Amino acid sequence: MVTENIFYKFIASAAVFLYVFFTPTFYWIAAVGFFIASDLIIRLLVCKRNNTPIESEKMWRTVYKFGFGLMFILTAHVFQRIFNSDIPIMKIIASYLILVELRSIDEKAQEITGNSMFKIVIEKFSLKQEKSNKKKAELESKTKKEADE
């Protein structure tokens, strides 16, 4: 009976340690999970729209994606805590996973709408960059003319 109490105390303290150690990862795991779930929902909408059957093999990809994403985030957190706390490895890995899922969501949304959100955003930024470059060129030419006079 005494050994059972010691065993349960050990299990409880190990569970508390793991909870506290991995607490900073919960937000990122939830964010990646949200985008993976969004990708799944949009994939189901595309299948329904195209009248294609929903295959369980393809549904398992979502489970694998979440499982590997969880492992990557937890492993990155361990490396960050143990080896180098200056570089936010966990945030970089989680952000990359979110970017990959956003791209996947964009591809599926493009099948539905015919427009790519990434393409629209890139075009907007390139237009702003062109306007900014024109203004800089005008300012430089204006300052050169004033300096020459």
Side-chain angles (χ1 to χ4, degrees), residues 18-76:
L18 290 174
Y19 176 78
V20 170
F21 186 78
F22 288 114
T23 296
T25 64
F26 294 161
Y27 167 79
W28 290 100
I29 291 170
V32 169
F34 171 77
F35 285 104
I36 289 173
S38 299
D39 183 40
L40 172 68
I41 291 167
I42 292 178
R43 185 181 323 136
L44 293 174
L45 291 173
V46 168
C47 287
K48 185 176 180 180
R49 183 175 183 264
N50 296 339
N51 292 326
T52 57
I54 299 168
E55 300 170 7
S56 65
E57 182 180 324
K58 291 183 180 180
M59 298 283 282
W60 272 103
R61 288 186 203 163
T62 302
V63 175
Y64 294 140
K65 281 197 284 190
F66 184 75
F68 283 116
L70 178 70
M71 285 190 323
F72 288 148
I73 292 170
L74 294 178
T75 304

Side-chain angles (χ1 to χ4, degrees), residues 125-137:
F125 278 125
S126 64
L127 289 175
K128 284 185 179 182
Q129 186 66 31
E130 288 174 11
K131 289 179 183 178
S132 175
N133 289 342
K134 284 182 183 179
K135 286 182 182 179
K136 284 181 185 178

Side-chain angles (χ1 to χ4, degrees), residues 56-121:
S56 65
E57 182 180 324
K58 291 183 180 180
M59 298 283 282
W60 272 103
R61 288 186 203 163
T62 302
V63 175
Y64 294 140
K65 281 197 284 190
F66 184 75
F68 283 116
L70 178 70
M71 285 190 323
F72 288 148
I73 292 170
L74 294 178
T75 304
H77 176 70
V78 169
F79 278 111
Q80 182 177 331
R81 293 282 296 257
I82 292 175
F83 296 115
N84 190 356
S85 62
D86 295 336
I87 302 171
I89 300 168
M90 180 194 61
K91 292 178 181 178
I92 293 169
I93 296 290
S95 299
Y96 179 73
L97 291 172
I98 289 171
L99 180 67
V100 168
E101 286 305 313
L102 279 173
R103 183 65 185 133
S104 179
I105 290 168
D106 182 54
E107 289 172 356
K108 288 171 184 59
Q110 188 175 1
E111 287 182 37
I112 295 172
T113 63
N115 295 325
S116 170
M117 291 305 294
F118 278 118
K119 187 181 284 187
I120 292 170
V121 169

Side-chain angles (χ1 to χ4, degrees), residues 1-18:
M1 182 144 175
V2 175
T3 57
E4 287 180 14
N5 284 338
I6 292 172
F7 181 72
Y8 288 125
K9 286 181 183 179
F10 174 75
I11 295 291
S13 52
V16 168
F17 169 77
L18 290 174

